[in-house]
């Protein structure tokens, strides 16, 4: 057996140690790479990010690279659990730790924050996300013309809001957004920019979307985590008895599912029209275009016990005008909604999510939202 075969066999054994079976940075199963300078096991995607920080990270394939004996020894002595204790000693509860499903910019900034900037290694270190106010410019998409223009944004913990101004020296903000109504989620594909962030908030009980980006990845991720930090502070004051573990899920969230379906109107005799759908918690919103500021409408998905249901297919005699043949019927106490999907797998995935939502118990806030939406319709 060659020296390198022995090394690779030894690495396989080290992989069996607790914590080494997942990527140290995003949790993906079966990491195929190792950082022989940091002593962690990582996945292919994260190894690419590590490779961009050559002064700190030196990565090798666990199967194909040549490993020196002392490198194998270093991996054996360190490993994911030990390095996590070192580099993630003090990650704030509000900081969003990305998973393998998250976009590149989130994962890259998490890796740089940990190993390059060592933000979480020393307890008590003051972090940029925790300043009481944050101010700067972001590129924001215009509601009517679709152009991205530079806008000044101000986030204030004291006021509990995010404001933006159309001109840098403007006295009055264009919008004042209360932090407890904000959701922020990275949408690089939808926005067409690797650092694209969608900020959603409630305005007069309607959902409003704004789309922003910054050319600097660190800057946009700092904004994202600053919003989460301010939200957590707000919630701690609003719910003094709640634990952080209960409050953190109330910070930003990713949408359950997004994509195109076709829908018909309430009389169900109109043709089916293609719309962009976003399922966010119990709200199924539909838009003419994925980057619209306001939804054209929305469907509230209540609980099965309250006469809500979702099933495959359409009522007999429904006329499908397009090529999209895979129907879904959602029944609510007020009316039924008919949709069609392009493929069967799409239909099955939407249905799975609708049923999961309808199987979940409703919170007091859900009942309030349901009443408001039914009243509006």
């Amino acid at each position: 057996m060659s020296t390198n075969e022995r090394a690779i066999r030894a690495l396989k054994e080290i992989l069996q140690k607790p914590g080494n079976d997942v990527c140290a940075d995003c949790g993906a199963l079966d990491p195929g790479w190792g950082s022989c300078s940091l002593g962690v096991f990582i996945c292919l995607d994260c190894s690419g990010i590590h490779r961009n920080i050559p002064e700190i990270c030196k990565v090798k394939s666990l199967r194909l690279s040549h490993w020196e004996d002392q490198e194998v020894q270093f991996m054996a002595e360190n490993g994911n659990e030990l390095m996590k204790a070192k580099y993630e000693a003090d990650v704030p509860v509000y900081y969003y730790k990305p998973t393998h499903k998250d976009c590149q910019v989130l994962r890259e900034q998490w890796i740089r924050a940990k190993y390059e900037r060592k933000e979480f290694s020393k307890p008590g270190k003051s972090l940029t996300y925790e300043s009481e106010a944050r101010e700067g410019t972001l590129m924001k998409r215009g509601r009517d013309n679709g152009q991205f223009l530079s806008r000044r944004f101000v986030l204030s913990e004291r006021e509990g809001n995010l404001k933006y101004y159309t001109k840098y020296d403007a006295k009055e903000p264009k919008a004042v957004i209360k932090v407890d109504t904000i959701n922020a989620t990275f949408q690089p594909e939808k926005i067409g920019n690797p650092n694209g962030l969608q900020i959603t908030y409630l305005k007069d009980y309607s959902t409003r979307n704004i789309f922003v980006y910054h050319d600097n990845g660190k800057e946009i991720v700092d904004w994202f985590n600053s919003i989460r930090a301010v939200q957590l502070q707000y919630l701690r004051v609003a719910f003094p008895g709640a634990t952080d573990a209960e409050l953190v899920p109330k910070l930003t969230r990713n949408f359950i599912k997004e994509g195109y379906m076709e829908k018909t109107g309430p009389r169900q005799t109109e043709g089916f029209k293609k719309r962009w759908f976003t399922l966010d918690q119990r709200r199924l919103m539909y838009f003419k275009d994925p980057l619209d500021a306001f939804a054209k409408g929305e469907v509230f998905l209540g609980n099965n016990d309250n006469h809500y249901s979702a099933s495959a297919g359409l009522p007999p005699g429904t006329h499908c005008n397009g090529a999209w043949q895979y129907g879904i019927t959602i029944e609510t106490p007020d009316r039924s909604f008919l949709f069609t999907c392009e493929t069967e797998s799409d239909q099955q995935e939407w249905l799975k999510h609708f049923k999961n939502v309808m199987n979940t118990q409703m919170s007091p806030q859900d009942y309030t939202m349901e009443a408001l939406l039914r009243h509006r319709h």
Side-chain angles (χ1 to χ4, degrees):
M1 188 189 293
S2 73
T3 325
N4 206 48
E5 281 170 348
R6 261 205 311 278
I8 285 169
R9 181 173 283 188
L11 286 166
K12 263 191 181 158
E13 280 173 31
I14 303 166
L15 272 175
Q16 306 303 312
K17 280 193 190 167
N20 291 346
D21 56 342
V22 296
C23 172
D25 297 324
C26 75
L29 296 171
D30 232 7
W33 295 75
S35 166
C36 54
S37 52
L38 293 167
V40 291
F41 294 93
I42 50 179
C43 70
L44 174 65
D45 286 347
C46 289
S47 77
I49 297 170
H50 278 253
R51 212 173 274 119
N52 290 336
I53 322 173
E55 55 282 9
I56 298 164
C57 309
K58 186 183 176 196
V59 293
K60 289 188 168 189
S61 162
L62 299 178
R63 296 178 190 90
L64 304 170
S65 299
H66 176 77
W67 286 78
E68 302 292 343
D69 287 348
Q70 68 267 31
E71 291 171 337
V72 176
Q73 185 66 27
F74 182 72
M75 299 302 284
E77 287 165 4
N78 292 292
N80 291 2
E81 294 284 306
L82 208 59
M83 292 301 98
K84 188 175 184 172
K86 176 180 175 180
Y87 290 106
E88 296 179 36
D90 196 28
V91 183
V93 283
Y94 60 77
Y95 189 95
Y96 184 85
K97 287 190 191 182
T99 70
H100 61 98
K101 292 180 181 161
D102 282 301
C103 62
Q104 176 86 1
V105 70
L106 268 174
R107 285 182 299 138
E108 176 169 355
Q109 291 309 315
W110 165 234
I111 287 168
R112 286 185 181 273
K114 274 204 295 187
Y115 306 117
E116 186 179 41
R117 302 194 291 271
K118 297 189 174 65
E119 286 183 13
F120 316 122
S121 299
K122 286 195 186 77
K125 192 176 176 187
S126 70
L127 295 170
T128 174
Y129 326 108
E130 288 166 18
S131 49
E132 285 170 14
R134 179 177 197 94
E135 189 174 331
T137 55
L138 297 172
M139 299 301 286
K140 178 191 167 292
R141 186 178 191 273
R143 196 173 108 191
D144 303 318
N145 58 12
Q147 279 182 306
F148 280 89
L149 297 165
S150 178
R151 294 288 180 253
R152 179 168 145 247
F153 280 78
V154 179
L155 176 68
S156 165
E157 183 187 299
R158 194 170 49 80
E159 295 176 16
N161 61 33
L162 173 69
K163 299 175 186 164
Y164 73 88
Y165 299 80
T166 44
K167 294 198 169 53
Y168 204 83
D169 52 0
K171 297 279 177 281
E172 289 302 312
K174 180 82 169 77
V176 179
I177 306 166
K178 289 175 62 195
V179 292
D180 59 326
T181 74
I182 293 180
N183 184 30
T185 175
F186 278 91
Q187 297 276 19
E189 283 85 20
K190 191 158 128 183
I191 295 172
N193 183 288
N195 302 339
L197 184 69
Q198 177 174 347
I199 294 174
T200 302
Y201 61 97
L202 285 179
K203 188 181 177 191
D204 308 325
Y205 301 106
S206 281
T207 301
R208 166 90 161 90
N209 295 319
I210 57 175
F211 301 94
V212 298
Y213 71 84
H214 196 285
D215 288 329
N216 180 310
K218 178 182 183 300
E219 190 68 22
I220 197 73
V221 175
D222 285 358
W223 269 101
F224 175 67
N225 280 304
S226 295
I227 288 170
R228 289 174 60 90
V230 169
Q231 285 182 321
L232 184 62
Q233 271 313 105
Y234 180 92
L235 289 170
R236 280 171 172 163
V237 174
F239 303 99
T243 63
D244 283 350
E246 290 166 315
L247 297 177
V248 167
K250 294 184 186 333
L251 305 183
T252 62
R253 59 193 179 272
N254 294 324
F255 298 134
I256 298 172
K257 181 170 167 62
E258 289 195 286
Y260 284 108
M261 288 193 286
E262 291 191 341
K263 75 173 286 293
T264 183
R267 288 196 301 280
Q268 299 175 0
T269 50
E270 307 94 321
F272 279 76
K273 291 193 176 81
K274 188 176 174 184
R275 294 287 180 253
W276 177 263
F277 285 82
T278 297
L279 179 56
D280 181 18
Q281 295 179 317
R282 290 188 176 274
R283 306 172 77 162
L284 177 66
M285 292 166 275
Y286 49 94
F287 304 83
K288 207 167 177 180
D289 181 270
L291 297 174
D292 282 347
F294 294 100
K296 284 191 77 66
E298 60 180 276
V299 184
F300 181 85
L301 304 182
N303 184 272
N304 296 134
D305 301 339
N306 305 344
H307 310 291
Y308 288 88
S309 67
S311 55
L314 300 172
T318 310
H319 177 63
C320 276
N321 53 329
W324 295 31
Q325 297 295 326
Y326 299 93
I328 293 177
T329 301
I330 289 183
E331 295 288 354
T332 77
D334 300 323
R335 58 170 277 207
S336 42
F337 293 87
L338 308 184
F339 310 107
T340 55
C341 301
E342 191 173 16
T343 64
E344 190 178 2
S345 63
D346 220 16
Q347 173 205 42
Q348 291 307 315
E349 200 177 324
W350 278 112
L351 267 175
K352 178 186 79 181
H353 291 304
F354 293 154
K355 287 179 174 175
N356 282 347
V357 170
M358 291 176 184
N359 283 332
T360 312
Q361 289 305 312
M362 281 168 59
S363 69
Q365 291 93 324
D366 290 335
Y367 281 105
T368 309
M369 183 61 72
E370 178 188 37
L372 282 165
L373 290 173
R374 287 179 74 175
H375 177 69
R376 254 181 40 209
H377 294 316

